[in-house]
Amino acid sequence: MNTRNIFVGGLVASTFALSASLVDAREMSLATYLPASSSFVTGLVEPWAAWINEHANGEFSVQVFAGGTLGRDPNQQDRIVSSGIADMAVIVPGRNLGAYPHYAIFELPGFARSADEGSYAAWQMHLDGTLETGDDLKVLAVWTTDPYIVHTASPLHDIAGIEGLRLRVLGQTQTESVLALGGVPQAVSITETPEAISRGTLDGSLADWAVFDIFHIGEVATNSYTLPMGVLAMSVAMNSNSYDELSPEGQAVLAEAGEVWQAMVIDFYAGERGRIIAEYTANGQVITEASDEAIETLLEATGELAGAARASVGDAVMDAYIARLNEHRAQQN
C-alpha cells in the first residue's frame, strides 16, 4: 500500500472535517439597545462575548449587535429573543413584570445599597430557583444597577429635605416612594430631565450613577444625596430553542459564562462609579452620604410599599432577598 497516498488521503479528510466544522459553527446574536460606543458595551458586553468565543471550542460564536440594531425599544428586548430575532439580549425584567413577577422587589427603596450586593442577591436567587421567569427564555446572567439616588439643583442634606421637591422618577415604585417621603414625583423623559431642571420645572431626579453620567444630569443637578431608592435588575436572556441546539459542552460554557459575567459586572460598575464620582466631584459636585438613620426612616416611610410587594411575590421570595443581602454584607465584614 502506498503510504504517501494514505497520508495525503488522511490530510484531505482532516481538512474537509475541519472545514465542515467551521461551516457548521453557529453564529449567535447578542442584542442590546444601548449604543455601541457606550462603556457598558465596550467594557462589559463585548469582552464577555469574547470570553465565550474563546471557550466555545468552535461550536458556536457570539456576535454583539448594539444600538438597537435588532430592536430599539428597551421594553421589547425580551420579545426579540422569544421571537427568534436575536438569540440573546440584555433585558430589563422589570419592564415586563407579567413574565418576571418577582423582579419588582429589587426596585424597593432602602434594601440593596450597592450594585455589588444587589447583584449578589439577584444571582443567588436565580441559581437557587427563587426568581420566577414566566416566559420561555433561558436566563444566562442576572445583576442589578447601583441604587437610584437623589440628585438636585439645590443642596440636599437629609431625608427631610425631599419633602416638596419635584423629582423625576422611573416607574410606579419610585413614584410611590417619593410620595411617601412628601416629594412630588414627575414622569419626565430622562432625555428631557436636564433641561427641565435647568428651567426650574424640576428640582432634581432619581438616577443611578451611570444614568446620571450618560444623560448629563450632573451638569444641572450639582448635589447628590445617596439615599438608596431601589436598584434596577437586568438580565442576559437566551432563546430556549437556540440554547437547546447546543451540545452539553456548549451549554456548560454558557453556565460558566454566567459566573464570569457576575465577576465582570461588579468590576465594571466599580470602575465606572469611581470614574464618574471622581470627574464630577473635581468639577464641584457635592455628595452627601445618607446615614443609617435616614435609611431606616426611608424603610419605615415606605413600609406599606414593601408589604404590598411581599404580598405579591410571597414570603419565601421576600425573605430570600433579605437573607441574600444580609449574607453579602456579612461576607464583607
Side-chain angles (χ1 to χ4, degrees), residues 3-184:
T3 56
R4 181 179 181 277
N5 289 340
I6 294 174
F7 172 76
V8 172
L11 180 60
V12 170
S14 298
T15 301
F16 276 118
L18 177 59
S19 298
S21 174
L22 291 174
V23 170
D24 291 343
R26 169 77 186 277
E27 182 181 280
M28 294 193 170
S29 54
L30 170 54
T32 175
Y33 59 90
L34 295 168
S37 60
S38 68
S39 59
F40 183 84
V41 173
T42 61
L44 183 59
V45 177
E46 289 179 342
W48 186 65
W51 183 94
I52 294 174
N53 293 341
E54 181 182 347
H55 291 79
N57 199 30
E59 178 184 350
F60 67 96
S61 64
V62 175
Q63 181 178 354
V64 177
F65 291 83
T69 306
L70 300 182
R72 294 185 180 279
D73 188 347
N75 298 324
Q76 297 295 321
Q77 296 301 295
D78 56 334
R79 302 289 194 273
I80 68 173
V81 178
S82 60
S83 66
I85 295 173
D87 295 295
M88 312 173 194
V90 177
I91 70 172
V92 183
R95 296 177 187 257
N96 184 10
L97 289 177
Y100 303 90
H102 294 163
Y103 283 74
I105 61 174
F106 300 108
E107 298 181 23
L108 290 172
F111 283 78
R113 301 174 190 181
S114 69
D116 297 33
E117 63 182 42
S119 297
Y120 175 85
W123 180 239
Q124 295 303 317
M125 292 171 70
H126 165 69
L127 290 179
D128 66 23
T130 304
L131 286 179
E132 179 181 335
T133 301
D135 57 18
D136 191 27
L137 300 182
K138 175 68 177 179
V139 174
L140 302 180
V142 184
W143 70 100
T144 75
T145 64
D146 272 323
Y148 276 58
I149 59 177
V150 188
H151 307 282
T152 55
S154 299
L156 177 63
H157 302 297
D158 53 42
I159 191 170
I162 293 175
E163 185 172 1
L165 292 183
R166 298 161 298 174
L167 298 173
R168 187 263 176 183
V169 297
L170 174 66
Q172 190 61 31
T173 300
Q174 289 188 7
T175 296
E176 295 181 23
S177 299
V178 169
L179 284 171
L181 297 176
V184 184

Side-chain angles (χ1 to χ4, degrees), residues 150-156 165 167 197 203-205 217 220-225 285:
V150 188
H151 307 282
T152 55
S154 299
L156 177 63
L165 292 183
L167 298 173
I197 296 173
D203 297 305
S205 175
I217 293 173
V220 290
T222 56
N223 300 272
S224 300
Y225 181 49
Q285 190 78 19

